[in-house]
Amino acid sequence: MKHGPNIATVSALAGDPARANILTALIGGQALTANELALEAGVTAPTASGHLARLLDGGLVAVAKQGRHRYYRLANPDIAAALESLMTIAELTDRPRTRLGPKDPALRRARVCYDHLAGELGVALFARLCDTNAIALSGGDIRVTPSGEAQFFRVGIDVGALRQAKRPICRSCLDWSERTPHLAGSLGTALLNHIFAAGWATRLPGTRIVRFTPAGERAFASWPAAVGPIEMAERASAA
């Protein structure tokens, strides 16, 4: 007798080429209409509606109605992380694809993965947070260190407030283009929001691409800076 969740059902839902294209189109965190997803999947609108009904029943997507339109998105960040991992496997096992022009290198450089930063710069940020002891890895878990909490507080990210939410603060997400982790979870979302709020980068409309300005990339390369023991003591006394 088999035990545990039945992965065959989920695999069958994601395994259809049209449904795979629909799910991939939603990995950027944007909500799209059925007609928009039909174009992404390369199928007719009625066919896309049938696929979306199956994805809804399977719990992989969610829908919200606004006016005359219904907008679909991935049901939760865990699904985005799973899709990113599948893309990594596909990259390893598929025949190499032809590069499609400047957008493809840009997508590999920096992109949105649901609601956090991915690509070369996302992986670099994860490594920098580890190197500066802002986060610490223990087995499969990631935790924010006291030094890291002070670093994030200094740029307006309150880790204590993030702890009040049900969502994990830190999670690793395997990057499909770099094949090494980037940071997901509520902290990953907060960091990406800070990047946008600081004006360092913008998201190209209708894509997952995150484009940094030259000045923004320079600022990002040394951010967040490590916090010394004096600053940590000041942070603790102010709390």
Side-chain angles (χ1 to χ4, degrees):
M1 182 177 178
K2 302 296 183 184
H3 299 280
N6 183 4
I7 65 171
T9 301
V10 176
S11 300
L13 283 172
D16 177 87
R19 289 195 291 274
N21 285 338
I22 287 172
L23 292 170
T24 302
L26 295 173
I27 200 172
Q30 293 177 309
L32 300 174
T33 66
N35 285 338
E36 289 169 330
L37 290 169
L39 291 173
E40 293 285 346
V43 297
T44 64
T47 300
S49 294
H51 286 308
L52 286 166
R54 292 192 62 180
L55 292 171
L56 279 167
D57 289 343
L60 297 186
V61 302
V63 64
K65 188 173 182 181
Q66 184 172 325
R68 296 181 299 169
H69 298 289
R70 289 161 62 87
Y71 291 90
Y72 296 86
R73 63 170 63 249
L74 295 181
N76 58 63
D78 290 339
I79 295 169
L83 290 170
E84 188 85 358
S85 295
L86 286 173
M87 291 169 72
T88 303
I89 296 171
E91 185 82 0
L92 291 169
T93 57
D94 275 359
R95 293 178 181 177
R97 295 183 181 183
T98 302
R99 294 293 179 94
L100 298 178
K103 286 188 176 180
D104 192 54
L107 197 66
R108 291 171 179 269
R109 181 63 173 162
R111 65 183 179 274
V112 171
C113 177
Y114 194 70
D115 59 1
H116 53 270
L117 184 66
E120 294 173 6
L121 295 184
V123 167
L125 176 61
F126 185 91
R128 190 158 62 247
L129 293 176
C130 292
D131 290 344
T132 60
N133 196 37
I135 58 176
L137 310 182
S138 177
D141 296 328
I142 308 172
R143 63 179 179 84
V144 179
T145 65
S147 172
E149 189 163 348
Q151 288 183 48
F152 301 130
F153 185 82
R154 189 167 59 182
V155 297
I157 298 174
D158 187 346
V159 175
L162 296 181
R163 289 196 181 98
Q164 304 305 311
K166 294 181 180 179
R167 184 180 178 189
I169 295 177
C170 295
R171 291 190 62 176
S172 66
C173 183
L174 186 61
D175 195 281
W176 71 261
S177 59
E178 297 304 298
R179 304 174 192 174
T180 191
H182 58 246
L183 184 67
S186 59
L187 179 59
T189 301
L191 291 170
L192 180 59
N193 288 340
H194 179 86
I195 289 168
F196 289 147
W200 295 346
T202 56
R203 179 173 177 169
L204 297 191
T207 75
R208 296 173 59 195
I209 295 170
V210 175
R211 171 132 331 143
F212 280 76
T213 66
E217 189 161 344
R218 288 194 297 271
F220 172 81
S222 58
W223 173 85
V227 174
I230 294 177
E231 289 176 284
M232 286 179 62
E234 291 174 347
R235 163 77 175 96
S237 63

